[in-house]
Amino acid sequence: MDKETAASRLAELRELIHEHNYYYHVLDEPRISDAKFDMLMKELLELEKLYPELVTDDSPSQRLGGAPLATFPEVRHIVPMLSLENAFSEGEVKAFYRRLQKNLGLEQITLVGEPKIDGLAVSLYYEKGKFVRGATRGDGERGEEITANLRTIRSLPLRLRKNFTMEVRGEVYMPLLGFERLNREREEAGLSLFANPRNAAAGSLRQLDPVVAAQRPLDLFVYGMVQLDGERLNSQWEILNLLKEVGFKVNEHVRILNNLQEAMDYYEYMRALRATLPYEIDGVVLKVNELVYQQAVGYTSRVPRWAIAYKFTAEEGITRILDITVNVGRTGVITPLAELEPLLLSGSVIKRASLHNEGMIREKDVMIGDTVIVHKAGEVIPQIVRVLKEKRNGEERPFSMPEQCPSCGKKIYRFPGEAALRCLNPACPAQVVERIVHFASRGAMDISGLGEALAINLYRAGLVKDVGDLYTLTLDDLSRLERMGKKSAENLLNALERSKENPLHRLIYALGIRLVGERAARLLAAHFGSLPRLAAASWEELVALKEIGPQIAASLQDFFGQQETKNVLQKLEKAGVNFREPEPQGEEELLTRNLEGMNFVLTGTLQHLTREQAREMIEAQGGKVLSSVSRNINYLIVGEKPGSKLEKALKLGIKVLKEEEMLQMLDGSARARS
Ligand code: IVH
């Protein structure tokens, strides 16, 4: 075949293959057999081999064309990729709708309902109909360019059905079946498993080698468009239709919703459908349909005011307890863990559930071998709801807590009035490791790359006995560790170096002083300004601070009085770790009255605070704590073993916060002004 004929046949083949690819992967309605499709592909590949100069970027052969990369180039999003406001109750969605009615001066606002796909947001850039570039969301302003990996997704059109220049936004996800298959393969290969389809999709998109990415079962739904020359569109519905027309996969469950009631019905409908879908969704997204109305209500710095994500709540499932093991935490608390027969719940494979303490095991009458109902809410560790005693067959075994620490073998104690058992040996390996992990964690010193596995390695190799030793690590030390490449070693040293500059409040939090959370750390740093001053603070000075009660003060004095602490601080100082708070602010400034007019109810046992402390903190910011749940309540704060108040609050659509979430909210509202 001469070159000219080859060129025209290749053009024909490209067109045909794109068409059939579209029927198969986007519409899910193949029009030819797989064998016929393979023949077309084979013909194309052979011709391209003969005339490599005729290979075009948008040829179907180029889905796998990219060479492995060293890193991903950074891309600046021309239009930032925003996130969405979340709603967890009918009340919040109503409020969202009311706000729109008020701002637009309209009685009825048409919305578009879309499933909220649980994957990763991507931005896809097309030039004259050709896919030229794609990126992750990153921090919203800048993402990573992952064009080669995106090309491997079959439902992503390399060429549009119209020659548009435009930027499209969508969600890359991993279908459930593909996810299960991938994990099965990884298990057999002895590789670590992905916790859920979302993580698997994220890991796959960030593969530096597109050949690996191509083997991952990724797919794509698109839901938005940011720029398009020529065409004028008036609504989100028109956008979705245009996206479909030019060859994208738009989710089939998108709907026009004419009023609030239809939006509520849509949520219920999708919630019921959820279990039958071949991919994970974690809620629905409600968007104002008319683009002029979208513009009219506008954006906050973070999210559009014209859209809201109405999230689904937890899911329950049934599984079996294979064994009960115990874990030793950072503060020596011994927690029993149920090792479960793996179960897929809200998209995550669940293998463990916390049993909290011995009392809980007795109360719920949990035995090894029991069939149980587990419950998972968002990201938290799954909980055991109850034992299905009718499923017992007599082979179940009771469990009792060990008398010695499983990590160091020392005797275990229970403090009066506490439910937890503790190992009191500060040199206990499990505790040392957990202290290192905490020190390096996000809100603390933020030393990326230093997780549990590495902490264990460092400890076992005798390189790190306390967090002070971290800063003496050398490239040489690290290169002797198993599974530690030169690049990761350098990255770790850089992260350690950077962490030296952290403001004092992070360091205080990172030290893991009992009862000193992020908020207390901020207050202490703001008040004392430097670590030596805090360490030298008298009891009277400490308790004089708002929010520092006698227990925290005692814990601080105990901590700074210990010889081990003095040794660690000396090492940190010698390494040049910053001991000062940069812009000292009085703690008075940190306190605002942002909770003015808000009503709270507390239920259950709080872990970090007494009820009285919680009340003081809420009142300090202008909120009120009431004793019973009614429609006047804004938030219900739940501790362990919440009572009937929780049920009532859920019925009334009142927002429920866990203790940590409340602390975060108080912290956030206090910082909002500073
Ligand atoms: S719209 C400015 N629509 O949810 C509007 N997002 O929580 C931005 N997501 O980053 C997003 N399905 O990754 C939109 N139908 C949908 C979505 C969706 C999933 C994701 C997306 C976004 C995140 C926000």
Side-chain angles (χ1 to χ4, degrees):
M1 195 185 283
D2 66 17
K3 191 167 166 183
E4 209 171 306
T5 329
S8 78
R9 178 62 184 157
L10 271 174
E12 216 168 74
L13 283 169
R14 280 198 300 268
E15 205 57 38
L16 269 170
I17 294 170
H18 280 317
E19 267 314 287
H20 288 297
N21 191 63
Y22 172 73
Y23 295 138
Y24 187 96
H25 290 286
V26 178
L27 300 185
D28 206 11
E29 287 165 7
R31 299 203 180 166
I32 55 171
S33 68
D34 289 1
K36 278 235 173 78
F37 183 86
D38 291 345
M39 271 171 60
L40 292 174
M41 198 65 193
K42 192 160 163 247
E43 190 185 344
L44 175 109
L45 291 174
E46 277 168 3
L47 267 181
E48 286 188 341
K49 206 164 169 187
L50 231 53
Y51 297 102
E53 67 275 26
L54 294 180
V55 179
T56 58
D57 289 353
D58 63 346
S59 163
S61 65
Q62 297 308 296
R63 288 210 182 264
L64 246 173
L69 301 170
T71 57
F72 296 107
E74 190 184 274
V75 200
R76 219 197 152 83
H77 300 301
I78 304 168
V79 178
M81 291 181 78
L82 299 179
S83 152
L84 289 171
E85 190 68 54
N86 284 328
F88 296 94
S89 69
E90 212 172 295
E92 286 166 279
V93 176
K94 270 191 193 145
F96 163 72
Y97 199 80
R98 299 266 138 80
R99 253 192 330 270
L100 290 173
Q101 286 175 317
K102 193 166 144 244
N103 290 343
L104 294 169
L106 289 169
E107 189 48 39
Q108 220 176 56
I109 296 142
T110 306
L111 302 173
V112 173
E114 301 171 11
K116 186 169 189 301
I117 311 297
D118 201 8
L120 275 106
V122 292
S123 167
L124 310 169
Y125 188 66
Y126 285 81
E127 232 166 56
K128 298 210 176 75
K130 246 166 72 175
F131 176 56
V132 291
R133 198 163 52 248
T136 60
R137 174 169 183 272
D139 63 4
E141 300 283 336
R142 280 167 235 260
E144 288 175 314
E145 206 222 292
I146 49 163
T147 313
N149 288 347
L150 286 168
R151 277 175 174 280
T152 67
I153 300 175
R154 306 286 155 153
S155 56
L156 181 146
L158 295 178
R159 167 155 277 294
L160 300 179
R161 299 160 79 78
K162 289 197 175 155
N163 284 341
F164 287 152
T165 292
M166 64 179 189
E167 195 179 335
V168 174
R169 301 269 165 94
E171 195 87 352
V172 170
Y173 65 95
M174 190 174 286
L176 288 169
L177 280 177
F179 166 71
E180 277 157 15
R181 196 196 71 211
L182 177 66
N183 258 357
R184 233 182 0 259
E185 288 168 3
R186 289 178 71 85
E187 184 148 35
E188 280 159 20
L191 298 168
S192 64
L193 303 190
F194 288 112
N196 55 49
R198 200 191 115 81
N199 287 1
S204 306
L205 270 188
R206 298 198 69 262
Q207 275 295 329
L208 288 164
D209 187 350
V211 174
V212 178
Q215 281 145 24
R216 300 289 175 79
L218 296 175
D219 211 331
L220 167 77
F221 281 123
V222 299
Y223 49 68
M225 195 173 68
V226 278
Q227 295 167 303
L228 171 65
D229 21 352
E231 215 82 356
R232 277 228 60 66
L233 295 174
N234 299 312
S235 66
Q236 169 67 7
W237 194 249
E238 285 181 18
I239 290 179
L240 293 177
N241 280 323
L242 181 117
L243 288 170
K244 244 186 283 185
E245 240 171 75
V246 299
F248 286 104
K249 214 161 106 171
V250 170
N251 191 280
E252 60 178 318
H253 302 293
V254 297
R255 294 281 183 277
I256 282 277
L257 308 167
N258 292 302
N259 52 48
L260 182 61
Q261 188 53 49
E262 288 189 19
M264 296 300 177
D265 293 347
Y266 176 71
Y267 174 80
E268 286 307 328
Y269 166 75
M270 287 310 301
R271 202 162 63 146
L273 207 63
R274 182 186 192 188
T276 70
L277 296 174
Y279 44 83
E280 267 289 307
I281 61 174
D282 57 348
V284 299
V285 184
L286 303 173
K287 301 176 179 173
V288 169
N289 186 35
E290 302 284 340
L291 300 188
V292 283
Y293 294 156
Q294 289 189 2
Q295 262 148 28
V297 293
Y299 299 81
T300 72
S301 62
R302 210 172 45 80
V303 295
R305 290 202 179 86
W306 45 263
I308 196 160
Y310 189 3
K311 303 279 275 272
F312 296 137
T313 42
E315 255 188 82
E316 287 187 355
I318 294 178
T319 189
R320 232 166 54 88
I321 299 183
L322 302 175
D323 198 2
I324 296 178
T325 56
V326 289
N327 177 59
V328 187
R330 168 167 66 86
T331 55
V333 173
I334 313 265
T335 331
L337 288 174
E339 307 284 342
L340 305 173
E341 199 161 274
L343 149 91
L344 194 70
L345 206 61
S346 317
S348 301
V349 179
I350 292 172
K351 290 192 198 145
R352 284 178 155 187
S354 172
L355 290 166
H356 300 283
N357 52 54
E358 203 174 12
M360 166 111 134
I361 295 181
R362 241 180 285 123
E363 189 188 313
K364 294 203 167 154
D365 188 14
V366 178
M367 295 211 258
I368 299 167
D370 265 337
T371 304
V372 291
I373 298 185
V374 287
H375 166 105
K376 183 173 170 266
E379 317 262 296
V380 299
I381 311 165
Q383 309 291 314
I384 296 213
V385 183
R386 67 186 171 90
V387 175
L388 297 176
K389 293 195 188 138
E390 62 276 19
K391 300 255 173 176
R392 285 190 176 160
N393 61 9
E395 282 170 29
E396 296 73 20
R397 287 176 291 127
F399 168 81
S400 51
M401 291 292 271
E403 285 172 11
Q404 269 107 29
C405 170
S407 176
C408 68
K410 292 256 158 65
K411 192 169 159 12
I412 287 173
Y413 295 87
R414 187 195 306 273
F415 283 165
E418 280 194 2
L421 292 172
R422 284 176 196 273
C423 164
L424 299 182
N425 171 17
C428 167
Q431 291 182 52
V432 174
V433 165
E434 291 308 319
R435 280 203 292 271
I436 297 170
V437 173
H438 170 77
F439 186 82
S441 69
R442 269 268 180 93
M445 295 298 264
D446 196 11
I447 303 163
S448 60
L450 181 46
E452 177 127 8
L454 179 56
I456 292 175
N457 262 344
L458 289 169
Y459 180 82
R460 286 217 182 119
L463 290 169
V464 178
K465 293 207 178 54
D466 60 48
V467 298
D469 296 335
L470 286 171
Y471 293 98
T472 59
L473 289 172
T474 63
L475 206 53
D476 228 35
D477 291 337
L478 292 175
S479 61
R480 279 190 285 125
L481 292 179
E482 260 175 69
R483 279 189 283 150
M484 169 68 86
K486 183 154 182 257
K487 190 77 206 151
S488 346
E490 282 170 359
N491 287 344
L492 178 67
L493 292 177
N494 286 335
L496 278 163
E497 204 48 43
R498 269 198 309 277
S499 75
K500 291 182 184 172
E501 305 302 319
N502 282 335
L504 175 63
H505 68 263
R506 278 177 173 259
L507 176 61
I508 296 175
Y509 173 64
L511 289 171
I513 308 164
R514 216 175 136 231
L515 302 177
V516 179
E518 283 182 81
R519 181 177 171 82
R522 272 176 194 278
L523 285 166
L524 293 167
H527 182 85
F528 291 100
S530 82
L531 197 61
R533 279 212 53 211
L534 170 62
S538 70
W539 163 273
E540 289 74 20
E541 243 180 303
L542 289 167
V543 290
L545 290 178
K546 270 199 196 100
E547 295 182 38
I548 302 295
Q551 282 180 329
I552 300 183
S555 168
L556 282 162
Q557 293 227 302
D558 175 46
F559 179 82
F560 286 110
Q562 287 172 27
Q563 190 52 46
E564 285 104 294
T565 303
K566 290 177 186 162
N567 296 343
V568 170
L569 295 187
Q570 225 165 43
K571 291 185 199 173
L572 293 176
E573 185 173 26
K574 196 161 155 229
V577 173
N578 171 47
F579 277 5
R580 307 190 70 84
E581 190 69 351
E583 303 150 47
Q585 300 163 314
E587 72 276 20
E588 302 300 330
E589 278 173 62
L590 275 166
L591 294 170
T592 62
R593 296 182 64 80
N594 278 350
L595 302 184
E596 200 76 68
M598 291 217 207
N599 295 326
F600 293 74
V601 169
L602 305 167
T603 179
T605 318
L606 302 181
Q607 294 299 295
H608 306 289
L609 302 171
T610 63
R611 289 253 180 139
E612 210 30 57
Q613 286 169 327
R615 171 193 295 275
E616 275 173 20
M617 282 176 73
I618 290 167
E619 288 177 353
Q621 295 191 33
K624 269 211 192 90
V625 177
L626 305 182
S627 58
S628 67
V629 175
S630 71
R631 287 191 194 278
N632 298 331
I633 301 298
N634 301 85
Y635 293 97
L636 178 75
I637 313 296
V638 292
E640 275 187 33
K641 294 192 223 145
S644 60
K645 286 178 186 167
L646 176 57
E647 243 167 79
K648 188 157 176 207
L650 289 173
K651 266 198 206 124
L652 292 175
I654 288 165
K655 189 153 182 165
V656 175
L657 295 179
K658 289 187 294 260
E659 184 179 359
E660 285 78 16
E661 293 173 316
M662 171 192 77
L663 290 169
Q664 262 170 26
M665 180 171 93
L666 291 174
D667 195 24
S669 91
R671 243 177 307 160
R673 221 191 49 184
S674 58

